[in-house]
Amino acid sequence: MSDIETPIKQPITGHDIEELETIELLFFAYRDFISDPDRILQNLGFGRAHHRTLYFVSRNPGMTVAELLSILKITKQSLARVLRQLIDSNYILQTEGKNDRRKRLLFVTEKGKDLVLALSQPQSNRIQNAFEATKPEAREQIIEFLNTMIGSQK
Amino acid sequence: MSDIETPIKQPITGHDIEELETIELLFFAYRDFISDPDRILQNLGFGRAHHRTLYFVSRNPGMTVAELLSILKITKQSLARVLRQLIDSNYILQTEGKNDRRKRLLFVTEKGKDLVLALSQPQSNRIQNAFEATKPEAREQIIEFLNTMIGSQK
DNA sequence: AAACTATGTCAGTAGTGTTGACATAGTTTT
DNA sequence: AAAACTATGTCAACACTACTGACATAGTTT
């Protein structure tokens, strides 16, 4: 029982030390990557969810609410507030589907497009700098690495 | 004025299209990367903040609360709740600093170590798979890429 | 007409984060 | 020794993002 309260004084490590260090790297990289647009969003009273929504709609004009939900992997109720705010403040607009009038097709407005570009700019710059710090041949490999990180694990 | 309500029907793009695509890739990669341990945490009633706390303490045994705060970049009050829960449920323990008795040195317990390893395992596997999908020479470049992503932007 | 689909909304709750204020113990400076 | 500073902890109030479950409406498919 004293066993349970013994402090482990050595850093956790193991055979997969390189992977552990990469976990850390990913945490820091993502934290800082996301911090750039956060500052802009704060002035607008928006959060990260607004950013993501705006981003994916801008990249997939005319996408439906259901498609957006499946990309973001959040619930309808979580998206609802965010989407409402973006529509009410004229960053996004909805049109009825032509074939299926139940569907709401999502588009960014000019205002929305401007915001997306402003939000993405610091992130683009950050990525560009990071690409420039590596060999040109490495880009493809980095993209491959990230692609393999995606999806459910076998 | 009708201008403001014009839907933008073309996907946002630009000269930095590769960077835009990488933004997306990073979003998906991080989302899925973090989803593995999320499932384990849920069963314990913990969240991501618990994971991060446990992780950094395990990697830096004897770190102080202040050091942990500056790594996580959150406020003392945010950490307090999480740290209290981890201490109360015996995953982390505190000892007084030897030189400075105001400081609280943080350690994981055996129980804490076991949990960290369980949480990190799927992430390690994911990273390992991703590394294996790339050329061996690319590892170094990927790490360099991630490192350059970190920090405040010039 | 019935069943299903896409979307929207209501109410309640959880986790993580914030700010500001204040308390206590211990250390450093004067 | 008193004053100032530091490390930590805690209280209250609040914001954002997510969740679940239930229900409503309009439109489509069977």
Side-chain angles (χ1 to χ4, degrees), chain A residues 23-92:
Chain A
I23 290 178
E24 223 164 296
L25 223 43
L26 274 167
F27 167 72
F28 288 125
Y30 197 76
R31 182 196 61 181
D32 292 348
F33 175 68
I34 211 69
S35 75
D36 297 327
D38 271 3
R39 280 183 285 273
I40 301 172
L41 291 162
Q42 205 171 2
N43 298 329
L44 297 169
F46 288 163
R48 290 175 188 176
H50 298 84
H51 184 189
R52 291 195 290 265
T53 300
L54 217 38
Y55 178 83
F56 284 110
V57 171
S58 75
R59 295 275 291 163
N60 306 280
M63 75 190 309
T64 65
V65 172
E67 282 163 358
L68 185 51
L69 285 175
S70 79
I71 283 187
L72 297 175
K73 284 196 188 156
I74 58 174
T75 57
K76 193 172 41 161
Q77 298 79 353
S78 293
L79 179 60
R81 245 173 319 214
V82 165
L83 198 50
R84 184 103 316 274
Q85 287 176 283
L86 288 170
I87 291 167
D88 289 348
S89 49
N90 243 296
Y91 291 96
I92 283 182

Side-chain angles (χ1 to χ4, degrees), chain A residues 5 8 12 18 20 24 31-32 52 55 58 71 93 108 126 129 135 139 141 149 151 153, chain B residues 5 8 12 18 20 24 27 31-32 55 58 71 93 108 126 129 135 139 141 149 151 153:
Chain A
E5 302 196 349
I8 307 293
I12 296 277
E18 186 172 14
L20 278 179
E24 223 164 296
R31 182 196 61 181
D32 292 348
R52 291 195 290 265
Y55 178 83
S58 75
I71 283 187
L93 58 84
V108 292
R126 198 178 272 272
N129 288 340
K135 295 176 187 159
R139 287 197 184 203
Q141 295 292 298
M149 291 279 293
Q153 216 63 4
Chain B
E5 300 196 351
I8 308 293
I12 296 275
E18 187 170 15
L20 277 180
E24 222 163 296
F27 167 72
R31 181 198 61 183
D32 292 348
Y55 178 83
S58 76
I71 284 185
L93 59 83
V108 292
R126 198 178 273 272
N129 288 340
K135 295 177 188 160
R139 286 196 184 203
Q141 296 291 300
M149 292 278 292
Q153 216 62 5

